[in-house]
Every structure is written in structure tokens, then in C-alpha cells.
Amino acid sequence: QQQVKQSPQSLIVQKGGISIINCAYENTAFDYFPWYQQFPGKGPALLIAIRPDVSEKKEGRFTISFNKSAKQFSLHIMDSQPGDSATYFCAAPLITGGGNKLTFGTGTQLKVEL
Amino acid sequence: DTAVSQTPKYLVTQMGNDKSIKCEQNLGHDTMYWYKQDSKKFLKIMFSYNNKELIINETVPNRFSPKSPDKAHLNLHINSLELGDSAVYFCASSQVWEAAGELFFGEGSRLTVL
């Protein structure tokens, strides 16, 4: 079964540092790659997404970098803040036997320390 | 005013019981979903409904039965609960098919089966 491979599983970053989370995918139905952010006790919420006619998208401190040939994309959080501590999920619209489905990565628990 | 609301937030029940989770969205979206998040935080789609019609039915035991009385509501009924059903269940909705655009999640319903 196709997967979206996400790493690392957990990450501890100092306040002000850069957090980097990586994802790799197999065959997608088309190009749409979102990142979701989930705080404890809440549902995931869309953080940023890219439709890669571009290789990079930036929104504030959050940047998606996309490498289509390598089938990899990553989330960079610049100037990480304690309020960024959450679980982050990448996702990709994979081609599966049951149709095209948005498949989530396994999640990365980010902790930003003071 | 909550966009996607689900009730109850917590469910604790015995094995073998039947339980239901209700979901309502006030975003005017045509498509609604149920996702399951296990103890390792892995998010997996269970069902997808578009305008009250079942679109995606993952390999979920037939003890799980979704029902959509109208396009703003999607309920999940679970029969003969098992220990392995313990998880957080998220309802979500989207304007377009989930692999192409933003998903709006509810806050989740934590089911504990004893």
C-alpha cells in the first residue's frame, strides 16, 4: 500500500531555531501537498499547502520546499516559537486501489523549548 | 460559531456496546468525512460522503455504519464495540474533494472501549 513517509517522528528545537520536517511520497494523482498542524485535544488544521508549479511556497515563518523529481517535500519553520509546539502532518493525494485519496504522513511531534 | 462540530467529545463504554457519534458542519460544504486517529496519532480516512452519497469506504469493519441525513450532517454508528476501536474519531468537511483542497476538522470524539 502506498504511503507518505514522514520524518522525524519527534523533534525538539530551541526557541528561535529552524524546524525541518521531511516527507516522501510515491505516485500521486496530481500535485497538491498540504501540511496540517494539530494541537493537543484539537483537530488538525491546514497550515500551508503547495501546488507545485513552484518549488517553494512561503507564508510568514512557514515554508514548503518541493522536489518533484525526488518526490519529496519539506516544511521549514523559521524562528520557531513555543506556540509552534504541536504535531505536524504532511499529506499527498496518492493513487490507491480504491481511488485517489489524501494520505497523511505519520506525524511529527514538535516541541519548541525556551 | 463552530464550523465542524461533533458530539460527544468523550465516550467511555464497555465492549459489545453500540455507540454513535454525530457531526454537523455549517460551512455549506458538499463533502464530509470520518477519520480515525489511533494512539500513535496516525490519521486514516474511514468514509467520505458527497452530497449524502457514500464515495469512499475504506476497509473498515461493517460494524461501522455512517449515515448522512443531509449534506450538513454525517453520523457514525458503531456496533459491538471492540477494544481496538478505542481511538479519536474526527469528522471533517471540504468544499472540494479532500485530496484537492482544504479539509476542516472537528475537535474529535475520543472513544475508549473497556
Side-chain angles (χ1 to χ4, degrees), chain B residues 43-87:
Chain B
L43 260 175
K44 191 172 180 198
I45 192 169
M46 299 173 68
F47 301 102
S48 158
Y49 268 75
N50 181 267
N51 209 4
K52 301 194 298 173
E53 286 194 33
L54 181 65
I55 303 298
I56 293 174
N57 182 355
E58 282 295 288
T59 46
V60 174
N62 57 15
R63 298 182 295 104
F64 290 79
S65 51
K67 279 211 175 103
S68 182
D70 56 61
K71 72 174 193 177
H73 295 84
L74 180 63
N75 303 323
L76 183 66
H77 188 75
I78 316 169
N79 289 327
S80 304
L81 278 157
E82 299 178 357
L83 292 175
D85 298 332
S86 295

Side-chain angles (χ1 to χ4, degrees), chain B:
Chain B
D1 199 18
T2 307
V4 180
S5 57
Q6 48 183 115
T7 55
K9 195 171 172 70
Y10 299 97
L11 278 147
V12 181
T13 189
Q14 300 289 324
M15 269 175 47
N17 284 352
D18 303 340
K19 286 293 175 188
S20 291
I21 307 171
K22 294 186 175 181
C23 179
E24 176 182 2
Q25 55 97 1
N26 62 6
L27 297 167
H29 292 163
D30 281 346
T31 310
M32 295 185 71
Y33 314 82
W34 280 108
Y35 280 83
K36 179 180 180 180
Q37 187 170 49
D38 62 23
S39 57
K40 293 183 179 178
K41 298 215 166 195
F42 186 58
L43 260 175
K44 191 172 180 198
I45 192 169
M46 299 173 68
F47 301 102
S48 158
Y49 268 75
N50 181 267
N51 209 4
K52 301 194 298 173
E53 286 194 33
L54 181 65
I55 303 298
I56 293 174
N57 182 355
E58 282 295 288
T59 46
V60 174
N62 57 15
R63 298 182 295 104
F64 290 79
S65 51
K67 279 211 175 103
S68 182
D70 56 61
K71 72 174 193 177
H73 295 84
L74 180 63
N75 303 323
L76 183 66
H77 188 75
I78 316 169
N79 289 327
S80 304
L81 278 157
E82 299 178 357
L83 292 175
D85 298 332
S86 295
V88 182
Y89 293 85
F90 286 100
C91 177
S93 73
S94 65
Q95 181 134 6
V96 296
W97 170 43
E98 97 282 13
E102 183 173 1
L103 279 165
F104 293 82
F105 285 87
E107 294 207 334
S109 297
R110 181 177 292 276
L111 171 65
T112 303
V113 182
L114 303 174

Side-chain angles (χ1 to χ4, degrees), chain A residues 12-35:
Chain A
I12 299 175
V13 173
Q14 295 299 308
K15 180 174 178 242
I18 302 173
S19 305
I20 302 173
I21 305 171
N22 300 300
C23 281
Y25 61 94
E26 296 174 27
N27 297 315
T28 55
F30 54 90
D31 293 338
Y32 171 70
F33 300 91
W35 284 88

Side-chain angles (χ1 to χ4, degrees), chain A residues 32-105:
Chain A
Y32 171 70
F33 300 91
W35 284 88
Y36 282 79
Q37 180 188 52
Q38 184 180 23
F39 292 105
K42 301 291 184 185
L46 182 67
L47 178 65
I48 185 173
I50 191 168
R51 297 180 194 273
D53 46 354
V54 294
S55 59
E56 188 173 282
K57 181 174 180 181
K58 185 174 180 180
E59 287 184 2
R61 296 183 294 108
F62 300 92
T63 300
I64 298 179
S65 297
F66 183 75
N67 185 333
K68 190 168 183 175
S69 59
K71 295 187 179 179
Q72 293 175 351
F73 58 112
S74 59
L75 176 70
H76 294 233
I77 306 174
M78 311 300 287
D79 187 26
S80 299
Q81 298 296 313
D84 296 332
S85 298
T87 302
Y88 292 82
F89 295 93
C90 61
L94 297 189
I95 302 167
T96 72
N100 303 324
K101 295 192 185 72
L102 189 69
T103 301
F104 285 86

